[in-house]
Amino acid sequence: KSIVVRSSIFGGLTAALMALAPNIFLLIAARAAMGVAGGFSSAASALVSSIVPEGSLGFALGWMTTGQIVGTLLGPLVGGVVVDVTHQYRSIYLLTTLGTWFCAFLCWRFVREDFSRPAVSSAPRLPIWRQFAAIVRAPEMMPMFAVLVLGQITILSTQPIIALYVR
């Protein structure tokens, strides 16, 4: 829960920096900072996994994914309309700031999580390449990875078209 709140606050802060950026270089730097320290979707999925009963987990994660896809599809459309109405590119960044901070407040105030930190393991942690190899060896992972990548490519391929269509 705390990571979801922090990533929302940081996302809003970086969006505000984008709105106030006096040149393209600072705009790109703020956007890069948003990408580096974001992690909202992963943290939100982990949060849902920790608060939903195991029997409802598939359904809950399905709804979570649906929400992410709907947001991905509607985001460029809403952004294009806001910029078209206001004639200010900065307005969408300010709206993003307010939206992410509102999400942080909603999560902080209304999401209940019973979290207890697990005991620290005394076993040495495997190197990252061995962890990755263990994941790749699972027969379901590579097809699922391909499905997720292709799904995101097909969904996100509409972004430039929607922006041009709105214009």
Side-chain angles (χ1 to χ4, degrees), residues 40-163:
F40 175 83
S41 295
S42 299
S45 294
L47 177 61
V48 167
S49 297
S50 72
I51 61 177
V52 172
E54 191 173 334
S56 304
L57 189 56
F59 182 76
L61 290 174
W63 270 107
M64 182 89 177
T65 303
T66 301
Q68 290 172 336
I69 291 170
V70 168
T72 300
L73 291 172
L74 291 180
L77 182 63
V78 171
V81 169
V82 168
V83 170
D84 194 45
V85 168
T86 63
H87 302 290
Q88 289 285 328
Y89 283 98
R90 296 177 191 273
S91 61
I92 194 60
Y93 296 117
L94 294 173
L95 189 61
T96 299
T97 298
L98 294 175
T100 55
W101 287 348
F102 183 65
C103 289
F105 170 76
L106 288 176
C107 184
W108 170 75
R109 178 66 179 94
F110 296 109
V111 174
R112 299 287 173 240
E113 178 187 32
D114 295 325
F115 177 74
S116 57
R117 188 171 301 279
V120 178
S121 173
S122 61
R125 190 170 180 183
L126 291 175
I128 189 74
W129 61 86
R130 286 196 181 154
Q131 293 177 36
F132 182 72
I135 292 171
V136 172
R137 277 194 294 264
E140 303 85 13
M141 284 306 298
M142 292 314 288
M144 195 62 224
F145 180 76
V147 166
L148 289 171
V149 169
L150 291 174
Q152 287 299 101
I153 289 171
T154 56
I155 289 167
L156 295 175
S157 66
T158 62
Q159 280 188 327
I161 306 305
I162 292 174

